[in-house]
Amino acid sequence: MNFFDTKIEFLKGVGPQRAALLNQELSLFTFGDLLQHYPFRHEDRTSFQQIRDINERLPNVHIKGRLREWHIVGEGSKKRLVATFSDLTGTMDLVWFQGVSYFEKYLRPNGEYIVYGKPVQFGGRWSITHPELDLLTPENSEGGYWQPIYPLTEKLRRKNLDSKVLGKMIQVLLEMAWPHIRETLPDYIIQKYKLVSKRDALWQFHLPQSAAWLHQAQRRLKFEELFYNQFRLIKNKLLHKTEYPGMIFDRSAIVQDFYNHHIPFQLTGAQKRVLHEIHGDLLTGRQMNRLLQGDVGSGKTIVAFITMLFALDNQAQSCLMAPTEILAEQHFQGLRKFADLMGITIGKLTGSTRKKERMRIHEQLLSGEMQIIVGTHALIEDIVQFKNLGLCIIDEQHRFGVAQRAKLWAKNDRINPHMLVMTATPIPRTLAMTLYGDLDISAIDELPAGRKPIKTVHRYDANRSAVFGFVKEELHKGRQVYMVYPLIEESEKLDLKDLMDGYESVSRSFPEVPLSILHGKMKAKDKDFEMQRFVKNETKIMVATTVIEVGVNVPNASVMVIENAERFGLSQLHQLRGRVGRGADQSYCILMTSYKISADTRLRIETMCRTNDGFEISEVDLQLRGPGDLSGTQQSGITDLLVANLAQDGAILKEARMTAQQILEADQHLLQPEHNPIKVHLENLRKEETNWSRIS
Ligand code: ADP
Ligand code: MG
């Protein structure tokens, strides 16, 4: 058996009980898992400070001294243990509010200890609350180490499984593992980028000998992680390009006809460029796998439609899959406008399509009579069969998994249909490279001409009457208005009350104005009814939760007021704002908050007020939240990154990607001996993944 597959209970100092805890709490099962349970930071215990030298600027202090005496102070919840601690230079207090009786038993009067913690000053005297406390021993008396701090849970801490204990276990493991650790990168790459060896990196990441070593260890592990991430993505991409043939769509009579006689507007430069890129793919005889990024309103629908016409021109059908019924409906409406101009048969298939209609659609798809179908997951079902599916367009890719993509391909058993993935959530380059590294990428980075940029402002709750005054003026001009309230699942009840209170107050402030209300708890039928009233301009103000985030297109609505804007993420605010600015009038977005907001919130709001550019906004969002939290990326493999942080490691990612690309170009099948480490490691990664899929 592979050493790294050994169960952790067999490690000295672990045993069955602790092993069970670590299984349960951190999903650590094997030696390999434990070695990859990386610390998220390290505390500097290299040297000791003296009490005399404590000052506010020190986040933590590390002091050797003697515990003099202690006593209990206070009553009830204020009850605490206060101990006097001194070294040769001064005296300070150590304070415990919890476990008072335990410490009373365990402290040794006049014992020599090492304390570590955050010092605060009260009336000229320094103290540390709940310090880390260790008896002074010959081993720890010199300091000289960096304490790794590991991700833990409350339960583990309660069972005294803390970072110190974990660090000791890992040290024992590292010593045993040393001869088994294999180099995973080719020697010449290590030389070229001046990386430390895998062994050193593992050791020094857990138990660094110095700050410089820690940095080198991290850099090496990040490089390795990103290299393998990119290697596999690029390999897939190459595989598609070399192994999968694609239909050649070289006829374009219908496209020409549409372009010359029916298209309702001039395409923007960006739309033309993107269509060019797509058309290029369609001529190569290889399957297209392309991502189309473009902000809300940038005009992706027409690009999708023209791509569908290329398919049609070549006797192939197209489908467009969206993640929700509302979105599917919106796409259907948008595409039908164009399809009707051309006499093209287009249908819609979702979970709520009636049985009879459904049967009809199934038949028409099979006979080829239906040329374009728009829908939800319902399209993936096995019963949906096509005469000749040539193009799949997927909207909001991040909500669909790769497996679902593959199911769509399989709808044509002669040849893989071309694939175009569309997303209205612009993402930063580093994220695109890792999330969509196996796709070619196109971006529509220009809005149609004549669009006035949305004006965004920040107002405090205290100024609500002025804001409502402005809303009144806009209503007078004939505009419509959205008022948006947050709805976050954990506190849904409370939020619904917020929404209802808001609705009350809006109807009091605008007694003459017909209102609509829309929230997720409403029946689909009622939602639809309210939406239609607003679309038809029968109601003037839409009071809503984020359900309007997708699926509403009302060009006459030109004002959006977002209440409690601090509770929305940056990309969500941007998505919401995209609901206005769809017509010819100047549009406004007003972000309401209380006076008290955090620095992060302020940055989010300032960013919204400064720019309308989704790509720029996504960069700020990445910096603020880190990649794991960016909308919808959870299921897309990004959480597999253990060491690298896409918000910070763009430069390493670029090197790693370039390296992977070069190796794959020179030696796709890894036949050269110097690439053997890659071959072996890929095989290990594959095994690890199959093990995991069996467990979870
Ligand atoms: P997206 O799907 O990217 O959010 P849409 O395709 O729905 O955007 O386009 C938004 C609006 O802009 C639609 O009303 C569409 O008809 C219009 N539009 C798209 N491209 C252009 C263009 N080049 N010139 C003028 N209007 C356009
Ligand atoms: Mg759209």
Side-chain angles (χ1 to χ4, degrees):
M1 191 182 65
N2 185 327
F3 171 85
F4 297 100
D5 293 335
T6 315
K7 298 259 171 296
I8 49 175
E9 64 174 289
F10 301 115
L11 183 67
K12 197 177 124 236
V14 179
Q17 263 176 3
R18 282 179 158 181
L21 268 173
L22 292 168
N23 294 172
Q24 210 180 62
E25 296 292 298
L26 298 174
S27 296
L28 302 178
F29 295 92
T30 63
F31 283 5
D33 294 342
L34 188 57
L35 274 182
Q36 285 195 42
H37 190 62
Y38 294 128
F40 59 92
R41 66 185 171 90
H42 292 78
E43 287 174 353
D44 183 352
R45 314 280 173 94
T46 47
S47 53
F48 293 101
Q49 286 85 45
Q50 300 195 307
I51 293 179
R52 180 176 60 198
D53 299 330
I54 299 179
N55 64 60
E56 281 97 9
R57 288 187 306 280
L58 296 172
N60 287 294
V61 289
H62 192 208
I63 295 176
K64 246 189 306 198
R66 209 173 271 281
L67 204 59
R68 297 295 171 186
E69 48 90 27
W70 58 84
H71 47 273
I72 306 268
V73 191
E75 290 282 317
S77 66
K78 292 253 169 63
K79 186 168 155 186
R80 59 198 188 273
L81 179 76
V82 179
T84 311
F85 184 74
S86 61
D87 65 6
L88 297 173
T89 69
T91 298
M92 66 185 300
D93 290 337
L94 307 176
V95 182
W96 286 270
F97 287 91
Q98 273 141 38
V100 168
S101 52
Y102 173 79
F103 280 107
E104 239 188 324
K105 259 189 265 159
Y106 157 91
L107 295 181
R108 289 195 198 165
N110 269 319
E112 282 195 291
Y113 284 93
I114 293 175
V115 301
Y116 182 87
K118 162 127 203 70
V120 290
Q121 203 171 22
F122 282 116
R125 195 173 166 88
W126 289 100
S127 71
I128 301 178
T129 302
H130 292 171
E132 226 178 82
L133 190 69
D134 286 301
L135 265 177
L136 188 71
T137 63
E139 291 83 57
N140 67 15
S141 69
E142 294 309 315
Y145 69 104
W146 290 75
Q147 175 62 47
I149 305 298
Y150 292 99
L152 290 170
T153 64
E154 245 338 285
K155 185 159 178 193
L156 289 172
R157 278 199 203 90
R158 274 205 312 277
K159 305 268 178 184
N160 291 321
L161 256 174
D162 58 13
S163 286
K164 277 214 155 140
V165 174
L166 214 58
K168 295 229 169 74
M169 286 177 188
I170 288 174
Q171 178 162 4
V172 173
L173 178 56
L174 276 166
E175 275 159 17
M176 286 167 64
W178 194 255
H180 300 278
I181 299 171
R182 288 225 221 177
E183 186 46 70
T184 56
L185 291 172
D187 196 44
Y188 74 97
I189 297 297
I190 292 187
Q191 303 295 334
K192 180 171 174 193
Y193 290 101
K194 302 198 167 43
L195 302 171
V196 299
S197 72
K198 172 85 182 205
R199 277 181 181 157
D200 282 340
L202 272 178
W203 189 287
Q204 298 288 341
F205 190 23
H206 284 287
L207 306 164
Q209 178 180 329
S210 67
W213 263 110
L214 175 59
H215 177 75
Q216 287 307 326
Q218 283 171 324
R219 191 170 83 88
R220 146 79 211 215
L221 293 174
K222 285 173 178 189
F223 185 96
E224 172 182 329
E225 183 166 59
L226 293 169
F227 171 81
Y228 279 99
N229 166 291
Q230 291 298 305
F231 191 91
R232 293 205 279 182
L233 287 167
I234 297 171
K235 189 167 177 202
N236 263 343
K237 184 160 136 182
L238 283 179
L239 207 68
H240 269 287
K241 285 211 202 297
T242 52
E243 317 269 306
Y244 291 90
M247 298 177 213
I248 298 183
F249 289 167
D250 55 359
R251 275 169 303 222
S252 57
I254 303 175
V255 176
Q256 299 293 343
D257 180 38
F258 178 71
Y259 202 82
N260 294 331
H261 303 112
H262 302 286
I263 193 166
F265 39 69
Q266 273 262 315
L267 293 183
T268 63
Q271 283 169 322
K272 283 186 195 158
R273 190 190 65 237
V274 164
L275 271 167
H276 223 81
E277 289 164 357
I278 291 173
H279 191 214
D281 291 351
L282 301 178
L283 294 174
T284 55
R286 300 287 157 212
Q287 188 201 12
M288 168 169 79
N289 272 292
R290 187 168 284 278
L291 173 73
L292 174 56
Q293 288 199 73
D295 237 323
V296 173
S298 60
K300 293 183 291 298
T301 310
I302 188 88
V303 171
F305 183 72
I306 292 175
T307 309
M308 289 170 159
L309 291 185
F310 277 119
L312 209 67
D313 254 321
N314 295 272
Q315 281 77 50
Q317 295 161 289
S318 305
C319 72
L320 187 155
M321 184 163 74
T324 64
E325 295 227 358
I326 294 183
L327 257 183
E329 172 64 22
Q330 189 195 325
H331 278 302
F332 179 61
Q333 299 296 347
L335 288 170
R336 195 167 61 176
K337 249 188 355 208
F338 299 128
D340 286 350
L341 297 173
M342 303 289 292
I344 290 169
T345 314
I346 179 170
K348 187 183 77 166
L349 183 66
T350 70
S352 59
T353 306
R354 305 264 164 174
K355 187 156 177 223
K356 218 165 130 198
E357 169 77 353
R358 189 179 286 263
M359 306 265 281
R360 187 179 64 81
I361 290 173
H362 289 165
E363 275 166 28
Q364 289 186 334
L365 287 173
L366 200 56
S367 74
E369 191 185 330
M370 184 162 287
Q371 296 155 306
I372 298 175
I373 182 84
V374 178
T376 55
H377 285 84
L379 291 173
I380 299 182
E381 285 171 28
D382 289 335
I383 190 160
V384 181
Q385 294 295 328
F386 293 79
K387 177 159 186 234
N388 184 27
L389 181 63
L391 169 69
C392 302
I393 301 183
I394 301 185
D395 194 25
E396 295 291 323
Q397 157 69 11
H398 59 266
R399 302 198 203 183
F400 292 113
V402 175
Q404 288 162 317
R405 246 199 262 170
K407 273 201 157 172
L408 275 181
W409 290 343
K411 299 270 178 203
N412 188 331
D413 49 21
R414 287 178 304 278
I415 188 162
N416 278 343
H418 292 296
M419 185 75 51
L420 182 67
V421 173
M422 299 201 298
T423 168
T425 316
I427 54 172
R429 272 181 55 77
T430 51
L431 215 56
M433 272 189 220
T434 40
L435 281 180
Y436 303 110
D438 55 341
L439 305 179
D440 294 303
I441 300 181
S442 292
I444 308 185
D445 50 8
E446 173 190 355
L447 292 183
R451 233 25 105 62
K452 294 199 181 76
I454 303 162
K455 285 192 180 146
T456 303
V457 295
H458 177 204
R459 293 288 179 267
Y460 295 108
D461 293 341
N463 303 119
R464 177 162 288 103
S465 62
V467 170
F468 278 12
F470 174 76
V471 166
K472 225 165 250 167
E473 284 169 30
E474 290 298 304
L475 288 168
H476 263 296
K477 292 187 198 158
R479 306 288 120 75
Q480 288 164 281
V481 177
Y482 294 107
M483 300 224 179
V484 185
Y485 289 79
L487 193 75
I488 297 169
E489 265 167 53
E490 302 104 70
S491 55
E492 225 171 315
K493 276 210 187 97
L494 205 75
D495 290 329
L496 207 54
K497 184 172 177 310
D498 276 0
L499 178 76
M500 290 309 174
D501 290 350
Y503 181 78
E504 284 293 305
S505 122
V506 174
S507 52
R508 254 182 281 114
S509 306
F510 301 91
E512 314 284 278
V513 179
L515 310 180
S516 274
I517 185 162
L518 196 67
H519 59 79
K521 284 272 131 101
M522 287 163 63
K523 291 208 180 85
K525 193 165 76 38
D526 301 336
K527 268 196 252 183
D528 210 46
F529 177 75
E530 286 295 328
M531 208 125 94
Q532 286 310 322
R533 290 212 303 154
F534 190 66
V535 171
K536 290 187 203 139
N537 201 358
E538 291 167 14
T539 54
K540 307 293 177 182
I541 300 180
M542 164 77 83
V543 178
T545 61
T546 48
V547 289
I548 60 155
E549 190 176 346
V550 290
V552 183
N553 184 13
V554 185
N556 189 50
S558 62
V559 180
M560 173 170 286
V561 180
I562 302 181
E563 297 280 350
N564 298 322
E566 72 274 9
R567 288 178 55 187
F568 294 92
L570 198 41
S571 66
Q572 203 181 12
L573 287 173
H574 180 62
Q575 291 283 316
L576 276 169
R577 177 171 61 179
R579 295 299 116 193
V580 295
R582 305 202 134 213
D585 308 307
Q586 175 64 54
S587 291
Y588 303 90
C589 175
I590 304 166
L591 304 172
M592 306 287 296
T593 72
S594 64
Y595 280 118
K596 262 179 72 177
I597 51 177
S598 67
D600 277 8
T601 300
R602 197 163 289 280
L603 181 56
R604 286 205 298 274
I605 292 193
E606 277 169 11
T607 305
M608 285 292 293
C609 295
R610 185 186 71 235
T611 180
N612 277 300
D613 179 347
F615 287 95
E616 193 179 335
I617 287 172
S618 73
E619 292 285 353
V620 178
D621 205 24
L622 179 63
Q623 296 304 328
L624 274 177
R625 294 203 293 170
D629 289 334
L630 282 193
S631 62
T633 52
Q634 298 86 336
Q635 42 169 300
S636 36
I638 201 110
T639 43
D640 299 350
L641 294 179
L642 298 175
V643 205
N645 175 343
L646 294 176
Q648 288 154 14
D649 299 329
I652 301 178
L653 174 62
K654 247 166 95 184
E655 285 177 350
R657 181 176 175 82
M658 205 174 67
T659 307
Q661 179 94 38
Q662 283 164 353
I663 291 178
L664 278 164
E665 272 164 18
D667 183 20
Q668 190 182 346
H669 300 288
L670 301 173
L671 301 174
Q672 295 167 16
E674 71 260 35
H675 292 149
N676 206 43
I678 303 179
K679 211 166 163 176
V680 173
H681 190 57
L682 282 171
E683 184 58 24
N684 283 338
L685 286 174
R686 210 181 49 74
K687 271 192 219 137
E688 227 171 79
E689 278 160 5
T690 33
N691 283 346
W692 268 109
S693 61
R694 244 179 287 129
I695 292 168
S696 49

